[in-house]
């Protein structure tokens, strides 16, 4: 089967699972445009469709595709218009507009050697108080690979720019040293599956060469490695070999090393021997700057008051901020009118309703209980033990913050007075800004909630 046939077969099965309207809105114009190392690249006509399909159908599509091609490990969604895709599939590039071609190249050309996506650059990375330390470390590393800040460990919540920054380091190093310093980027799941594959096929030597034969190893989302014994072992050896040869190691995670419970002690202390920095929520000015940068990249514009509305509302996740921005641009493009503040408000309102509808109070309780290793019954009890008081306050805080419940209804759910709910919300809101550890805990709980 060629790529087109493979995709048509996948779609045929998918079509059965969806309503006709859904299928034709979201998937009819999708194409499988490339595959590489088990990653299959699916092109969609616009950002809105990309976001949608990525969030809703990723798992299903991958499951079906795997039945036809067992090498499929992951889908990557990209935006490309029809006039880019058609000639590309015919393998002739003569009719492509240079701009479209460029866009396609950026989205699809993940360098097979380094695994880096050229889309992530330092120049497109907006710097502000929430990430300036991480940025400074990145710049220092680029100028002085391997000797300064080694290993470099960066952590923070979802969608705050970790992948962007560490890939940008790789891209800059590659450009600056022209092949004399060889970077390699790998998501930790990929590393894990490589090791598993090698064990099964008795090809450990291949893996050793693949990962130890680089000068700068970038491992993304290391928290997924923890607990997988053989992988951790192999990672540790790779780490040591590189480290002893003054090779640079960069690691990202959604939490600091001491909070990855399954991580082996010797690995953790290695990380702690280097530089550890975090990225946190961007402040208002920075959110505005990010929106403006993004608009410039897309060659689009929005009225200042609309930019202001987006920046005021989208506070906690740059990926979601970008998603909202894309929705608004998509709307503007479709209607061929300049968007107004109130329409923008409306779009934001709808998408945040979607986000909060996904989360239930039961999920919040469950996540907090799991995180602190206590029973949900304790959270709902009148027990005043210190171990349950703070978790209970966190529950109330999250019910307000994520679900936007009223204080009386929070009180009711928790068997408490509404003033207790107010107190809890205010206390945690204050403390989150004061204590990094609490902030981190809440980021992790949020993440658990979103991931279900
Ligand atoms: P993480 O890896 O922390 O989950 P990503 O690096 O994937 O987050 O960032 C999510 C999205 O937000 C990406 O599209 C990225 O380009 C964008 N982004 C994040 N931080 C910045 C920044 N400081 N400047 C510009 N874009 C950013
Ligand atoms: Mg990431």
């Amino acid at each position: 089967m060629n790529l087109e046939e493979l995709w048509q077969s996948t779609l045929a099965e998918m079509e059965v699972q969806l309503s006709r309207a859904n299928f034709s809105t979201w998937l009819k114009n999708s194409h499988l445009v490339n595959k590489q190392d088990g990653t299959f690249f699916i092109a969609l006509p616009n950002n809105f469709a990309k976001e949608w399909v990525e969030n809703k159908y990723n798992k299903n599509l991958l499951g079906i595709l795997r039945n036809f091609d067992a090498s499929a490990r992951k889908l990557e969604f990209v935006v490309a218009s029809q006039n880019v895709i058609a000639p590309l599939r015919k393998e002739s590039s003569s009719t492509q507009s240079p701009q479209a071609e460029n866009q396609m190249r950026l989205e699809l050309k993940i360098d097979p050697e380094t695994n880096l996506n050229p889309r992530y650059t330092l120049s497109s990375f907006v710097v502000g108080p929430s990430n300036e330390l991480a940025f400074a470390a990145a710049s220092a590393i680029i100028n002085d690979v391997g000797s300064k800040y080694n290993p470099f460990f960066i952590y923070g919540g979802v969608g705050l720019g970790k992948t962007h920054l560490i890939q940008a380091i790789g891209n800059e190093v590659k450009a600056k040293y022209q092949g004399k310093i060889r970077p390699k980027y790998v998501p930790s799941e990929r590393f894990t599956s490589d090791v598993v594959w090698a064990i099964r096929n008795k090809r450990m030597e291949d893996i050793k060469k693949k990962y130890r034969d680089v000068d700068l190893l970038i491992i993304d989302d290391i928290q997924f490695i923890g607990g997988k014994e053989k992988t951790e072992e192999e990672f540790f050896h790779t780490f040591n070999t590189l480290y002893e040869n003054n090779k640079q190691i960069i690691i990202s995670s959604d939490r600091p090393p001491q909070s990855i419970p399954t991580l082996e002690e010797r690995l953790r202390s290695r990380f702690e021997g280097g530089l550890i920095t975090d990225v946190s929520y961007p402040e208002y000015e920075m959110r505005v700057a990010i929106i403006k940068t993004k608009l410039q990249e897309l060659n689009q514009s929005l009225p200042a008051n609309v930019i202001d509305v987006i920046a005021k509302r989208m506070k906690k996740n740059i990926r979601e901020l970008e998603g909202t921005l894309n929705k608004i641009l998509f709307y503007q493009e479709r209607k061929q009118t300049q968007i107004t503040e109130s329409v923008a408000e409306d779009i934001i309102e709808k998408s945040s309703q979607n986000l909060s509808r996904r989360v239930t109070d039961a999920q919040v309780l469950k996540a907090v209980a799991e995180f602190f290793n206590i029973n949900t019954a304790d959270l709902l009890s009148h027990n005043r033990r210190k171990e349950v008081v703070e978790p209970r306050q966190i529950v109330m805080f999250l019910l307000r913050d994520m679900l936007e419940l009223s204080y009386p209804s929070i009180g009711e759910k928790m068997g408490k007075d509404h003033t207790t709910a107010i107190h809890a919300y205010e206390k945690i809101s204050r403390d989150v800004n004061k204590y990094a550890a609490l902030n981190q805990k809440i980021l992790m709980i949020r993440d658990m909630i979103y991931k279900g």
Side-chain angles (χ1 to χ4, degrees), residues 119 124-126 131 157-164 318-319 322:
R119 162 174 121 74
S124 63
F125 189 78
V126 176
N131 62 13
V158 195
L160 295 180
K162 301 180 298 294
T163 297
H164 188 136
I318 299 171
R319 188 174 297 125
E322 285 184 348

Side-chain angles (χ1 to χ4, degrees), residues 13-279:
E13 288 209 7
M14 193 69 195
E15 194 171 0
V16 185
Q17 302 182 16
L18 298 176
S19 73
R20 186 182 312 173
N22 258 341
F23 182 80
S24 63
T25 311
W26 304 116
L27 287 168
K28 213 166 139 221
N29 293 320
S30 62
H31 296 278
L32 174 56
V33 289
N34 199 358
K35 70 170 181 177
Q36 196 173 67
D37 287 356
T39 300
F40 285 62
F41 293 86
I42 314 300
L44 292 155
N46 56 57
N47 251 312
F48 196 61
K50 169 183 173 274
E51 289 264 315
W52 190 272
V53 174
E54 192 165 25
N55 288 326
K56 301 245 170 185
Y57 305 130
N58 187 355
K59 261 204 192 119
N60 273 356
L61 287 170
L62 180 62
I64 300 172
L65 184 66
R66 267 206 190 117
N67 293 335
F68 298 109
D69 185 332
S71 73
R73 280 201 214 140
K74 185 175 163 221
L75 302 183
E76 189 121 341
F77 298 89
V78 299
V79 177
S81 58
Q82 290 303 313
N83 57 349
V84 182
I85 297 166
L88 187 98
R89 293 215 317 281
K90 279 190 234 121
E91 316 243 34
S92 105
S93 57
S94 54
T95 50
Q96 279 174 242
S97 79
Q99 206 183 353
E101 193 183 349
N102 218 11
Q103 155 99 24
M104 192 71 183
R105 185 177 300 133
L106 267 188
E107 289 286 355
L108 288 183
K109 272 280 162 67
I110 293 179
D111 179 349
E113 191 74 27
T114 62
N115 221 358
L116 288 163
N117 185 334
R119 162 174 121 74
Y120 297 114
T121 60
L122 273 196
S123 59
S124 63
F125 189 78
V126 176
V127 186
S130 64
N131 62 13
E132 64 188 345
L133 266 181
F135 181 83
S139 312
I141 289 169
I142 291 163
N143 288 324
D144 204 348
V145 186
S147 40
K148 226 178 196 171
Y149 308 138
N150 198 17
F152 173 43
F153 190 104
I154 176 173
Y155 71 92
V158 195
L160 295 180
K162 301 180 298 294
T163 297
H164 188 136
L165 187 62
I166 61 181
Q167 288 228 21
I169 299 176
N171 280 320
E172 298 286 335
V173 164
K174 187 179 142 200
K176 182 171 165 137
Y177 300 98
Q178 311 244 330
K180 288 194 197 76
I181 298 182
R182 294 155 306 168
K184 190 171 209 62
Y185 168 85
V186 61
S188 76
E189 297 110 307
R190 169 86 72 98
F191 185 83
T192 307
S193 60
D194 274 356
V195 172
V196 171
W197 174 88
I199 295 167
R200 223 178 264 153
N201 297 284
K202 305 197 167 47
R203 298 276 287 276
M204 222 47 214
E205 286 313 306
D206 292 12
I207 295 296
K208 292 204 165 90
K209 188 158 165 35
K210 179 170 175 187
Y211 288 108
R212 295 183 192 179
D213 205 20
V214 297
D215 305 301
L216 160 60
L217 183 62
I218 304 168
I219 301 215
D220 206 356
D221 289 320
I222 192 84
Q223 72 273 9
F224 295 128
I225 275 191
K228 295 175 184 137
E229 216 173 278
K230 196 73 195 171
T231 321
E232 214 174 285
E233 185 70 34
E234 179 51 29
F235 176 68
F236 186 73
H237 289 311
T238 304
F239 185 103
N240 271 347
T241 309
L242 291 172
Y243 187 78
E244 276 154 18
N245 291 307
N246 297 320
K247 304 298 175 73
Q248 178 76 45
I249 298 157
I250 297 175
I251 292 152
S252 87
S253 170
D254 65 348
R255 62 201 85 164
Q258 69 270 21
S259 307
I260 309 179
T262 45
L263 206 64
E264 219 184 304
E265 193 47 45
R266 54 180 184 170
L267 205 45
R268 193 172 318 170
S269 69
R270 273 292 198 209
F271 293 163
E272 282 163 4
L275 176 73
I276 303 179
T277 55
D278 70 329
V279 286

